[in-house]
Amino acid sequence: MLSDDDILAAVRRGLGAPGADDAAFPAAGAHITRHLLVAGEIVRCVETRTEGTAFHAGTRDLSDLPEYDDLDRYPVPPPADPGAARSTLRLVRRGSVAAHACSTCTNGRKPCARCRGAGDVACRTHVPCAGCEGRLCCLACEGTGKRAREAADRPQGETASRVRCRKCGADDAACGKCRGAGRKKCGVCGGTASRPCPDCAGGGTVSHDFCAGTGRYVEWTEGVVVREPVVDTVEESSDLPARAFAWTNEADAWNRVDHVGEDAFPPDGTDTGSGPGTRTDLTKATDLTKATDLTKDTDLTQDTDLTQDTDLAEVAARLKPRLGFRDGEVARRVRVRYLSLARVTHDDHPDRVYVVIPGRPAPRVVTVRSPRRAWRLAALALLVLVAVVAVSRLLT
């Protein structure tokens, strides 16, 4: 954490007054407040367990699936990485597997519903001629065999030549394909009025869908354990605008917190959830205020006492409301970074606010408008707008 002297020296360097020359920015009249930026995420691995009846058509070997007696008590080790992709574990309840012969079919076959087991279905003996579709099949008799007094006119646009009608004998009058009949024998049944059933191909039976044509099926009680990551994003600033994060970069002196497993839970052992993943003892969880030197970006799971680190204590206080236990939670990772900024104002510089950001090799200074200057600029803009409106009205 930067001292007040370091902060004032950084501002002076930003103003072009390095060294001991503090005339441009004397300590008297300077006001320093400290603000913490915290950013990162809390990743929880949340588990759900469900149980139900499973079914498989035919036969199946289930020996490769784990067995359980009580699904809620079945032990599943916590994941090494709480942020790992969604996973599904399927289990078989001990003694629940039962193989059955299908009682609604015969060796996997059942009567065809379309032909009712007959193997064939009714068909038309004749179909309309593809050439004339039964209309004006003969210009003289129209397919009746009796000539009319006046022959009909050729259909408009017809180009095919006509032939002698086999019914009435008129020349150049009949359709060339049906020769005046207007229809032809069905090409499927050959005029027999019966054709093989298209569903069963004439066999009279079809495969039974329920047992997939095997005549058998297997049922068992299945337990399913699903784990998936749930991410809670953390981005907080104490009494600074959200845009303060944009003033920083990776080269700044961020401190880092990285807790996994037990060390990522609240230090008071509070249990705030229920379900298969409920923790029963959190009293051994490591307090966020106990860690190694965070300036080296090391893990917080060691034992060096840094209770004097007020920034780390504030991080712990800010994270604690987010660390409540969720139903089904089995693992978590808390990975955040934090940075203490100094906000400096001066009586001699009422229009400027200086934000000092710790960094290597030296702190950086970001200069922004003071709220007072922002209000003055807003008021000036409003006055200009009023003047423009007034002038435009006078001109019109």
Side-chain angles (χ1 to χ4, degrees):
M1 182 182 297
L2 297 176
S3 67
D4 289 355
D5 291 339
D6 293 336
I7 293 170
L8 293 177
V11 175
R12 291 175 189 133
R13 284 194 298 272
L15 294 175
D21 182 9
D22 61 353
F25 205 86
H31 309 280
I32 301 174
T33 56
R34 300 176 187 275
H35 306 268
L36 195 66
L37 301 183
V38 183
E41 62 183 17
I42 302 169
V43 181
R44 294 174 170 86
C45 178
V46 177
E47 177 185 277
T48 56
R49 300 191 178 200
T50 56
E51 189 176 52
T53 300
F55 168 88
H56 181 79
T59 58
R60 180 179 175 183
D61 182 8
L62 299 172
S63 60
D64 59 326
L65 297 181
E67 292 186 322
Y68 70 93
D69 296 305
D70 184 339
L71 183 61
D72 287 343
R73 294 178 178 271
Y74 185 82
V76 182
D81 179 10
R86 176 188 173 100
S87 65
T88 302
L89 173 64
R90 299 186 181 277
L91 308 101
V92 177
R93 187 167 185 172
R94 197 183 313 277
S96 67
V97 181
H100 304 282
C102 187
S103 61
T104 56
C105 69
T106 303
N107 294 326
R109 308 290 296 181
K110 67 174 185 176
C112 175
R114 184 167 185 172
C115 67
R116 299 183 180 181
D120 54 27
V121 293
C123 187
R124 294 181 295 180
T125 58
H126 292 82
V127 295
C129 171
C132 63
E133 297 181 350
R135 299 189 298 273
L136 291 179
C137 54
C138 176
L139 301 178
C141 69
E142 295 188 359
T144 63
K146 296 181 180 180
R147 295 189 184 185
R149 290 185 179 181
E150 294 183 4
D153 296 332
R154 283 176 176 267
Q156 187 175 1
E158 182 181 81
T159 58
S161 61
R162 294 213 167 222
V163 298
R164 182 183 180 87
C165 178
R166 67 172 55 173
K167 285 194 171 185
C168 69
D171 292 329
D172 195 26
C175 169
K177 292 189 175 181
C178 65
R179 302 183 68 84
R183 61 180 185 169
K184 301 185 71 173
K185 283 185 179 181
C186 175
V188 177
C189 66
T192 63
S194 177
R195 62 188 176 95
C197 175
D199 289 355
C200 64
T205 62
V206 294
S207 177
H208 190 201
D209 292 338
F210 180 77
C211 65
T214 63
R216 304 189 63 81
Y217 63 92
V218 182
E219 284 185 319
W220 68 95
T221 301
E222 180 181 60
V224 181
V225 180
V226 177
R227 287 179 170 178
E228 57 185 339
V230 177
V231 180
D232 180 13
T233 302
V234 178
E235 187 170 288
E236 296 186 5
S237 60
S238 57
D239 301 325
L240 282 179
R243 61 191 176 97
F245 284 95
W247 301 337
T248 66
N249 56 52
E250 291 296 328
D252 295 329
W254 289 93
N255 296 299
R256 303 183 188 277
V257 172
D258 193 350
H259 275 332
V260 183
E262 289 283 347
D263 294 329
F265 286 84
D268 56 6
T270 303
D271 223 359
T272 58
S274 60
T278 300
R279 308 186 71 89
T280 56
D281 184 7
L282 299 180
T283 57
K284 297 180 180 180
T286 303
D287 193 336
L288 286 176
T289 59
K290 296 181 179 180
T292 55
D293 185 358
L294 297 181
T295 61
K296 299 179 180 179
D297 293 347
T298 51
D299 196 346
L300 290 188
T301 57
Q302 302 184 31
D303 298 327
T304 304
D305 189 355
L306 290 186
T307 55
Q308 301 303 317
D309 188 340
T310 56
D311 287 346
L312 187 56
E314 185 177 344
V315 171
R318 286 183 172 275
L319 289 181
K320 189 172 181 179
R322 296 173 174 263
L323 296 178
F325 185 78
R326 294 193 179 184
D327 286 350
E329 184 176 349
V330 295
R332 74 168 60 166
R333 173 188 287 274
V334 177
R335 179 181 287 167
V336 297
R337 57 179 186 162
Y338 65 96
L339 180 64
S340 179
L341 309 184
R343 182 180 185 274
V344 184
T345 59
H346 201 286
D347 295 341
D348 296 339
H349 302 260
D351 295 334
R352 291 286 182 266
V353 173
Y354 305 95
V355 180
V356 181
I357 305 172
R360 302 180 184 92
R364 294 188 300 110
V365 178
V366 175
T367 304
V368 296
R369 295 191 187 96
S370 67
R372 173 183 172 181
R373 180 172 176 79
W375 280 108
R376 288 171 59 187
L377 290 175
L380 180 60
L382 181 60
L383 289 175
V384 171
L385 178 61
V386 170
V388 170
V389 172
V391 171
S392 64
R393 287 186 177 181
L394 289 174
L395 293 176
T396 57

